[in-house]
Amino acid sequence: MPNNIHIEVADDEQFEKMKQLKNRYGLTWKGLLVQGMKRVEEGDL
Protein backbone atom coordinates (compact mmCIF):
# COMPACT_ATOMS: atom_id res chain seq x y z
CA MET A 1 0.00 0.00 0.00
CA PRO A 2 1.46 3.40 -0.94
CA ASN A 3 2.29 6.01 1.67
CA ASN A 4 0.83 9.49 1.37
CA ILE A 5 2.14 12.89 2.37
CA HIS A 6 -0.05 15.94 2.93
CA ILE A 7 1.74 19.28 2.66
CA GLU A 8 0.22 22.61 3.55
CA VAL A 9 1.78 25.65 1.88
CA ALA A 10 1.72 29.18 3.26
CA ASP A 11 -0.28 30.72 0.42
CA ASP A 12 -1.17 30.60 -3.26
CA GLU A 13 2.08 32.36 -4.22
CA GLN A 14 4.20 29.64 -2.61
CA PHE A 15 2.09 26.93 -4.26
CA GLU A 16 2.41 28.55 -7.69
CA LYS A 17 6.20 28.85 -7.33
CA MET A 18 6.44 25.15 -6.46
CA LYS A 19 4.14 24.22 -9.35
CA GLN A 20 6.20 26.29 -11.80
CA LEU A 21 9.44 24.59 -10.70
CA LYS A 22 7.79 21.19 -11.00
CA ASN A 23 6.60 21.93 -14.51
CA ARG A 24 9.84 23.63 -15.64
CA TYR A 25 11.86 20.52 -14.85
CA GLY A 26 9.22 18.01 -15.94
CA LEU A 27 8.83 16.56 -12.46
CA THR A 28 5.94 15.04 -10.60
CA TRP A 29 5.12 16.29 -7.11
CA LYS A 30 6.98 13.26 -5.79
CA GLY A 31 9.96 14.11 -8.00
CA LEU A 32 10.04 17.68 -6.72
CA LEU A 33 10.07 16.42 -3.14
CA VAL A 34 12.79 13.86 -3.87
CA GLN A 35 14.99 16.50 -5.54
CA GLY A 36 14.58 18.73 -2.47
CA MET A 37 15.52 15.80 -0.25
CA LYS A 38 18.70 15.24 -2.29
CA ARG A 39 19.68 18.90 -1.91
CA VAL A 40 19.22 18.70 1.87
CA GLU A 41 21.31 15.51 2.05
CA GLU A 42 24.08 17.19 0.06
CA GLY A 43 24.04 20.16 2.42
CA ASP A 44 23.10 22.45 -0.47
CA LEU A 45 20.57 24.64 1.29
Side-chain angles (χ1 to χ4, degrees):
M1 177 170 238
N3 294 317
N4 294 300
I5 297 174
H6 177 86
I7 299 171
E8 292 185 26
V9 295
D11 51 36
D12 290 341
E13 183 179 337
Q14 188 177 53
F15 175 77
E16 286 302 318
K17 185 175 180 180
M18 291 170 64
K19 189 169 88 172
Q20 288 173 3
L21 280 171
K22 176 184 81 69
N23 292 337
R24 182 184 314 152
Y25 294 101
L27 299 169
T28 61
W29 286 108
K30 176 185 172 184
L32 185 64
L33 184 60
V34 169
Q35 290 301 314
M37 181 183 68
K38 288 179 182 179
R39 301 275 310 257
V40 168
E41 287 177 334
E42 294 170 355
D44 191 15
L45 293 176

XYZ file of all heavy atoms in Angstrom:
370
model
N 0.841 -1.175 0.000
C 0.000 0.000 0.000
C 0.894 1.248 0.000
O 1.824 1.353 0.794
C -0.894 -0.033 1.233
C -1.762 1.164 1.392
S -2.977 0.900 2.695
C -4.431 1.168 1.743
N 0.617 2.207 -0.861
C 1.464 3.401 -0.943
C 1.274 4.307 0.274
O 0.215 4.354 0.880
C 0.985 4.094 -2.215
C -0.374 3.588 -2.469
C -0.437 2.210 -1.870
N 2.341 5.005 0.611
C 2.285 6.014 1.670
C 1.886 7.343 1.060
O 2.173 7.609 -0.104
C 3.644 6.154 2.355
C 4.015 4.901 3.112
O 3.187 4.321 3.789
N 5.253 4.477 2.990
N 1.258 8.171 1.840
C 0.827 9.488 1.372
C 1.414 10.570 2.253
O 1.606 10.372 3.452
C -0.699 9.595 1.397
C -1.339 8.663 0.415
O -1.090 8.759 -0.777
N -2.151 7.750 0.904
N 1.656 11.723 1.651
C 2.142 12.891 2.373
C 1.196 14.038 2.068
O 0.852 14.285 0.903
C 3.576 13.268 1.941
C 4.537 12.147 2.286
C 3.998 14.580 2.580
C 5.942 12.370 1.774
N 0.794 14.752 3.085
C -0.052 15.938 2.930
C 0.795 17.140 3.318
O 1.340 17.191 4.423
C -1.280 15.827 3.843
C -2.151 17.029 3.803
N -3.135 17.193 2.857
C -2.170 18.128 4.579
C -3.734 18.347 3.067
N -3.167 18.935 4.106
N 0.928 18.096 2.411
C 1.745 19.279 2.661
C 0.864 20.516 2.564
O 0.150 20.707 1.573
C 2.898 19.386 1.633
C 3.799 18.171 1.737
C 3.678 20.678 1.829
C 4.829 18.077 0.646
N 0.932 21.341 3.580
C 0.221 22.612 3.546
C 1.230 23.707 3.227
O 2.295 23.775 3.838
C -0.445 22.889 4.891
C -1.575 21.913 5.175
C -2.317 22.244 6.456
O -2.319 23.426 6.877
O -2.891 21.310 7.020
N 0.909 24.541 2.255
C 1.785 25.649 1.884
C 1.222 26.937 2.470
O 0.040 27.029 2.791
C 1.963 25.764 0.356
C 2.682 24.544 -0.189
C 0.631 25.927 -0.334
N 2.088 27.930 2.597
C 1.719 29.175 3.259
C 0.604 29.932 2.526
O -0.294 30.486 3.153
C 2.942 30.069 3.418
N 0.687 29.944 1.195
C -0.282 30.724 0.425
C -0.233 30.303 -1.046
O 0.569 29.460 -1.436
C -0.006 32.220 0.572
C 1.443 32.585 0.281
O 2.054 31.970 -0.627
O 1.969 33.482 0.946
N -1.094 30.919 -1.838
C -1.170 30.599 -3.264
C 0.132 30.910 -3.993
O 0.516 30.202 -4.918
C -2.314 31.357 -3.940
C -3.679 30.853 -3.513
O -3.764 29.719 -2.988
O -4.665 31.592 -3.696
N 0.824 31.971 -3.568
C 2.082 32.356 -4.218
C 3.131 31.250 -4.057
O 3.823 30.887 -5.005
C 2.595 33.660 -3.627
C 3.854 34.168 -4.299
C 4.317 35.490 -3.702
O 3.500 36.225 -3.106
O 5.514 35.786 -3.839
N 3.246 30.711 -2.863
C 4.204 29.637 -2.614
C 3.831 28.396 -3.431
O 4.695 27.753 -4.018
C 4.251 29.306 -1.126
C 5.348 28.332 -0.758
C 5.399 28.077 0.742
O 4.381 27.735 1.339
N 6.574 28.253 1.316
N 2.546 28.079 -3.482
C 2.093 26.933 -4.260
C 2.419 27.106 -5.736
O 2.920 26.199 -6.389
C 0.585 26.712 -4.084
C 0.055 25.617 -4.954
C 0.251 24.286 -4.627
C -0.639 25.914 -6.121
C -0.231 23.269 -5.441
C -1.115 24.910 -6.942
C -0.916 23.584 -6.597
N 2.151 28.291 -6.274
C 2.414 28.552 -7.688
C 3.900 28.448 -8.006
O 4.280 27.929 -9.055
C 1.863 29.914 -8.103
C 0.359 29.945 -8.243
C -0.174 28.941 -9.257
O 0.424 28.779 -10.339
O -1.200 28.295 -8.957
N 4.752 28.934 -7.117
C 6.198 28.845 -7.328
C 6.637 27.379 -7.385
O 7.416 26.983 -8.255
C 6.945 29.587 -6.232
C 8.432 29.635 -6.444
C 9.125 30.490 -5.397
C 10.625 30.521 -5.653
N 11.328 31.341 -4.666
N 6.120 26.581 -6.467
C 6.443 25.150 -6.457
C 5.934 24.472 -7.735
O 6.638 23.666 -8.348
C 5.835 24.477 -5.229
C 6.483 24.892 -3.925
S 5.600 24.316 -2.467
C 5.756 22.557 -2.649
N 4.731 24.807 -8.145
C 4.145 24.216 -9.345
C 4.940 24.598 -10.593
O 5.174 23.767 -11.472
C 2.684 24.652 -9.485
C 1.943 23.915 -10.590
C 0.456 24.184 -10.516
C 0.106 25.411 -11.281
N -1.354 25.633 -11.419
N 5.398 25.849 -10.664
C 6.199 26.293 -11.799
C 7.527 25.545 -11.865
O 7.959 25.143 -12.945
C 6.438 27.795 -11.732
C 5.209 28.608 -12.036
C 5.412 30.095 -11.803
O 6.501 30.549 -11.461
N 4.344 30.861 -11.963
N 8.185 25.359 -10.730
C 9.436 24.589 -10.699
C 9.200 23.153 -11.150
O 9.960 22.603 -11.938
C 10.034 24.583 -9.294
C 10.800 25.816 -8.875
C 11.147 25.747 -7.396
C 12.050 25.983 -9.716
N 8.142 22.560 -10.634
C 7.791 21.187 -10.998
C 7.610 21.065 -12.505
O 8.174 20.163 -13.138
C 6.502 20.787 -10.264
C 5.967 19.420 -10.608
C 4.649 19.165 -9.909
C 3.472 19.772 -10.594
N 3.078 19.193 -11.867
N 6.871 21.981 -13.067
C 6.598 21.933 -14.505
C 7.831 22.255 -15.347
O 8.054 21.644 -16.383
C 5.453 22.877 -14.850
C 4.136 22.413 -14.289
O 3.939 21.229 -14.008
N 3.210 23.337 -14.104
N 8.638 23.223 -14.895
C 9.836 23.630 -15.637
C 10.799 22.457 -15.817
O 11.421 22.306 -16.856
C 10.550 24.770 -14.924
C 11.779 25.248 -15.696
C 12.562 26.328 -14.971
N 11.701 27.363 -14.441
C 11.988 28.090 -13.361
N 13.110 27.884 -12.700
N 11.171 29.024 -12.935
N 10.919 21.634 -14.793
C 11.859 20.523 -14.847
C 11.195 19.191 -15.174
O 11.841 18.145 -15.124
C 12.640 20.429 -13.524
C 13.524 21.632 -13.338
C 13.152 22.683 -12.503
C 14.722 21.752 -14.038
C 13.951 23.801 -12.357
C 15.524 22.868 -13.902
C 15.142 23.886 -13.062
O 15.934 25.002 -12.927
N 9.920 19.225 -15.525
C 9.217 18.012 -15.938
C 9.093 16.981 -14.827
O 9.154 15.779 -15.077
N 8.914 17.455 -13.599
C 8.830 16.563 -12.455
C 7.383 16.314 -12.045
O 6.491 17.090 -12.383
C 9.569 17.179 -11.254
C 11.060 17.435 -11.429
C 11.582 18.289 -10.284
C 11.815 16.127 -11.521
N 7.196 15.262 -11.304
C 5.936 15.040 -10.603
C 6.079 15.705 -9.233
O 7.169 16.154 -8.863
C 5.673 13.539 -10.405
O 6.736 12.999 -9.605
C 5.601 12.796 -11.734
N 5.004 15.754 -8.463
C 5.116 16.292 -7.109
C 6.093 15.448 -6.291
O 6.900 15.982 -5.530
C 3.754 16.353 -6.426
C 2.913 17.463 -6.975
C 1.810 17.346 -7.775
C 3.109 18.870 -6.795
N 1.327 18.594 -8.095
C 2.107 19.543 -7.501
C 4.045 19.621 -6.094
C 2.006 20.931 -7.525
C 3.948 21.006 -6.116
C 2.937 21.652 -6.831
N 6.036 14.144 -6.482
C 6.977 13.261 -5.787
C 8.408 13.594 -6.208
O 9.306 13.679 -5.370
C 6.659 11.803 -6.111
C 7.649 10.832 -5.516
C 7.349 9.401 -5.968
C 8.446 8.449 -5.551
N 8.212 7.087 -6.053
N 8.628 13.789 -7.499
C 9.956 14.109 -8.004
C 10.494 15.411 -7.436
O 11.679 15.522 -7.111
N 9.618 16.401 -7.298
C 10.040 17.676 -6.724
C 10.472 17.486 -5.271
O 11.505 18.009 -4.843
C 8.895 18.688 -6.806
C 9.202 20.106 -6.347
C 10.251 20.758 -7.235
C 7.927 20.932 -6.328
N 9.727 16.699 -4.532
C 10.071 16.421 -3.138
C 11.379 15.640 -3.031
O 12.236 15.955 -2.198
C 8.935 15.650 -2.471
C 9.074 15.355 -0.989
C 9.183 16.644 -0.186
C 7.889 14.528 -0.524
N 11.566 14.657 -3.887
C 12.787 13.856 -3.872
C 14.004 14.727 -4.208
O 15.060 14.605 -3.574
C 12.676 12.650 -4.834
C 14.014 11.970 -5.043
C 11.653 11.652 -4.308
N 13.874 15.616 -5.196
C 14.986 16.504 -5.539
C 15.338 17.415 -4.366
O 16.512 17.662 -4.090
C 14.656 17.335 -6.782
C 14.598 16.528 -8.055
C 15.900 15.816 -8.343
O 16.983 16.377 -8.247
N 15.796 14.547 -8.686
N 14.332 17.913 -3.656
C 14.579 18.725 -2.470
C 15.291 17.926 -1.394
O 16.200 18.433 -0.729
N 14.888 16.669 -1.229
C 15.524 15.800 -0.246
C 17.004 15.605 -0.587
O 17.867 15.668 0.296
C 14.819 14.440 -0.223
C 15.375 13.459 0.783
S 14.563 11.845 0.701
C 15.117 11.264 -0.909
N 17.309 15.414 -1.859
C 18.701 15.238 -2.286
C 19.524 16.478 -1.965
O 20.671 16.377 -1.522
C 18.772 14.936 -3.779
C 18.296 13.545 -4.135
C 18.363 13.333 -5.640
C 17.842 11.971 -6.039
N 17.885 11.788 -7.498
N 18.953 17.659 -2.194
C 19.675 18.902 -1.909
C 19.971 19.024 -0.423
O 21.048 19.463 -0.026
C 18.871 20.126 -2.376
C 18.518 20.165 -3.850
C 19.568 20.747 -4.754
N 20.120 22.013 -4.403
C 19.808 23.169 -4.961
N 18.888 23.239 -5.898
N 20.417 24.274 -4.606
N 19.028 18.640 0.416
C 19.224 18.700 1.868
C 20.329 17.725 2.276
O 21.218 18.061 3.064
C 17.910 18.383 2.616
C 18.155 18.156 4.097
C 16.895 19.496 2.405
N 20.294 16.516 1.724
C 21.307 15.512 2.053
C 22.693 15.959 1.641
O 23.677 15.639 2.300
C 20.969 14.179 1.398
C 19.798 13.459 2.037
C 19.436 12.174 1.331
O 19.709 12.048 0.110
O 18.839 11.313 1.993
N 22.786 16.707 0.545
C 24.083 17.188 0.058
C 24.543 18.435 0.805
O 25.642 18.928 0.574
C 23.981 17.502 -1.440
C 23.741 16.279 -2.299
C 23.396 16.628 -3.741
O 23.258 17.832 -4.056
O 23.232 15.705 -4.542
N 23.697 18.960 1.686
C 24.043 20.164 2.419
C 23.966 21.413 1.573
O 24.587 22.421 1.873
N 23.210 21.347 0.471
C 23.103 22.452 -0.475
C 21.824 23.245 -0.214
O 20.922 23.271 -1.024
C 23.120 21.894 -1.903
C 23.270 22.980 -2.943
O 23.644 24.114 -2.584
O 23.017 22.691 -4.123
N 21.762 23.867 0.947
C 20.566 24.639 1.290
C 20.786 26.059 0.926
O 20.955 26.967 1.399
C 20.204 24.449 2.771
C 19.761 23.046 3.130
C 19.525 22.960 4.638
C 18.484 22.686 2.421
